[in-house]
Amino acid sequence: MGQPEEHASGEAAQPGLPPGQRLQRGWPVTHYGPVPRFRPERWEFQVFGATADGLKHSWNHGEFGALPRSTVVADLHCVTRFSMLGAEWSGVPAQVVLDAAPPAPDVTHVMVWAEYGFSSNMRLADFAAEHTIFATHKDGELLTAEHGFPLRLIVPHLYAWKGPKWVRAVEYMTADRRGFWEERGYHNVGDPWKEQRFSYQEQPGEGPDL
Ligand SMILES: Nc1nc2c(c(=O)[nH]1)N[C@H]1C(S)=C(S)[C@@H](COP(=O)(O)O)O[C@H]1N2
Ligand SMILES: [Mo]
């Protein structure tokens, strides 16, 4: 797949580019903290919190790899203003995880957890969206360590901090709670089409008290 052109202006110069974003040549690495080392024998993926059956569910690496897979073409929008359009992500749709470990009826939000305690919260509807996917591959190639190997979440319609790299767990919640960046000044919802970048922009009802 060819790389997108870079645009001199910061304005949306191409359909598909949210306001205030610019296209980025290549694929930058953006995260807080060190890149974790993958230890397959210790890795497990968990669903906990308000599950329908009250139990914690977990999959080891082999078991998770046997879940139904799919591919989505989706964009990545970093709040620092770079965007990457049209990447092909393959992996396990979030809906597959919801089906395998259903949430209790009163679940409204999820917290997605990664290595070293990184987390991000979102509405259950954002997590359940058709294109939300736990990706193992981009454009047919296994993710590299710095891009989230062995597993990262992609939530195409939200800013990219809502997609933890090195993801390990999903917590079902019956009330909203802020994740790592949402506690540190980023918007609780994070819709790039509404330019919901910072928590000071939040309207009443868009996030728990800071
Ligand atoms: N675990 C973890 N995941 C993370 C982050 C992080 O700091 N830690 N940063 C997020 C941010 S702000 C962005 S823009 C994307 C960047 O993904 P990339 O490095 O693959 O481009 O990862 C997201 N996932
Ligand atoms: Mo970001």
Side-chain angles (χ1 to χ4, degrees), residues 77 79 109-112 118-123 126-127 132 152-165 167 176-183 186-192 196 202 206:
H77 307 296
V79 70
H109 292 78
V110 307
M111 187 75 77
V112 182
F118 183 87
S119 62
S120 186
N121 60 309
M122 67 198 72
R123 297 168 297 204
D126 294 315
F127 184 71
T132 299
R152 75 178 296 167
L153 185 65
I154 296 291
V155 190
H157 63 285
L158 299 179
Y159 282 117
W161 85 77
K162 294 284 189 183
K165 305 193 275 192
V167 59
D176 199 5
R177 211 169 74 226
R178 289 174 190 273
F180 183 87
W181 287 121
E182 294 83 3
E183 272 185 338
Y186 285 126
H187 197 285
N188 191 59
V189 178
D191 181 342
Q196 294 176 331
E202 286 172 19
E206 287 182 337

Side-chain angles (χ1 to χ4, degrees), residues 30 78-80 160-161:
T30 313
C78 176
V79 70
T80 65
W161 85 77

Side-chain angles (χ1 to χ4, degrees), residues 38-45 60-61 64 150-151 167-168:
F38 174 53
R39 295 181 185 83
E41 68 292 349
R42 290 202 207 157
W43 190 94
E44 60 171 8
F45 183 89
N60 66 28
H61 192 244
F64 195 85
L151 195 66
V167 59
R168 289 287 299 273

Side-chain angles (χ1 to χ4, degrees), residues 55-89:
L55 301 174
K56 185 168 91 180
H57 296 248
S58 72
W59 294 260
N60 66 28
H61 192 244
E63 291 164 344
F64 195 85
L67 290 173
R69 297 177 61 83
S70 158
T71 294
V72 300
V73 174
D75 309 332
L76 187 142
H77 307 296
C78 176
V79 70
T80 65
R81 298 184 180 277
F82 79 83
S83 288
M84 181 171 76
L85 300 185
E88 186 191 277
W89 307 95

Side-chain angles (χ1 to χ4, degrees), residues 18-46:
Q21 294 294 110
R22 56 179 179 272
L23 286 175
Q24 175 77 38
R25 197 178 295 278
W27 188 12
V29 172
T30 313
H31 59 262
Y32 176 83
V35 174
R37 191 159 77 89
F38 174 53
R39 295 181 185 83
E41 68 292 349
R42 290 202 207 157
W43 190 94
E44 60 171 8
F45 183 89
Q46 289 192 348

